[in-house]
Amino acid sequence: MTSDDALDQFGHIARERAFGRHVGSDRLIQAGLDALIAGVQSPSLALLAGLLRNEEPEAPELFDQVLAELGLLFHPPADPRAAKWAMAYWIAGQIADGSLDPVVGTHLIWADIAYDLGYPDELAPLVSCAHNLEGWEESWGVSVEELNEEAVEAAKQFLSNRSAAEAGG
């Protein structure tokens, strides 16, 4: 793992936590260890990486301290709807770049975001992909791989529509 990879991992975990996803202390400590081994420099990083099992409750606070030291703190929008939209774009970006399994990503968008936003039209293709992937049966005559590809394309389309809306607005 390079230092850039380690910093990306920290940023990813920061967003997961900011969007209310549970991240275990073991993952926070491992991210610290990965970063330390990769040569990332931060005053509190060695403290995080060196936490023992009985010290795990200290990990979230130390992780946040390291994020602050590295300038990687992330705060989602204060408005709950805007935060849900930000989370949708973040998850879609991970589906599109291949870092998140389309089954998991589309399910998160369907279950954690679309419902709360009242199933907006912009998310309909991703919600449809979630339904198809969750209910898939061999008898459908379409492979799971094809459904995964459809989900990736739906995520890319969702992201490009955002870019176009932002450019035009």
Side-chain angles (χ1 to χ4, degrees):
M1 177 177 285
T2 67
S3 61
D4 285 346
D5 293 338
L7 293 173
D8 286 347
Q9 181 180 21
F10 261 83
H12 177 83
I13 293 172
R15 280 169 175 69
E16 273 187 86
R17 294 177 72 226
F19 286 127
R21 312 287 308 156
H22 172 74
V23 179
S25 292
D26 57 332
R27 237 180 104 202
L28 301 178
I29 295 166
Q30 185 62 53
L33 185 58
D34 292 344
L36 192 64
I37 291 170
V40 173
Q41 299 291 316
S42 161
S44 303
L45 187 57
L47 296 173
L48 173 64
L51 288 177
L52 303 173
R53 183 168 303 285
N54 65 338
E55 299 171 316
E56 283 186 1
E58 299 170 36
E61 185 178 332
L62 270 173
F63 186 84
D64 288 342
Q65 193 171 328
V66 172
L67 286 176
E69 292 166 1
L70 295 172
L72 295 174
L73 280 176
F74 174 78
H75 300 286
D79 174 66
R81 286 188 64 79
K84 287 290 182 181
W85 280 108
M87 185 176 178
Y89 286 114
W90 177 64
I91 291 171
Q94 292 177 82
I95 295 169
D97 73 15
S99 63
L100 182 62
D101 183 312
V103 174
V104 174
T106 57
H107 181 81
L108 287 171
I109 288 174
W110 170 31
D112 292 356
I113 300 167
Y115 174 81
D116 291 341
L117 293 174
Y119 294 102
D121 291 342
E122 297 90 337
L123 294 177
L126 289 161
V127 170
S128 176
C129 289
H131 285 285
N132 290 339
L133 285 163
E134 188 163 299
W136 179 81
E137 295 179 15
E138 245 181 272
S139 64
W140 288 6
V142 62
S143 69
V144 170
E145 291 77 18
E146 289 174 86
L147 293 178
N148 280 332
E149 288 173 22
E150 285 178 23
V152 170
E153 286 309 311
K156 288 178 179 177
Q157 187 63 47
F158 174 66
L159 293 169
S160 72
N161 289 344
R162 174 193 190 185
S163 300
E166 289 174 354

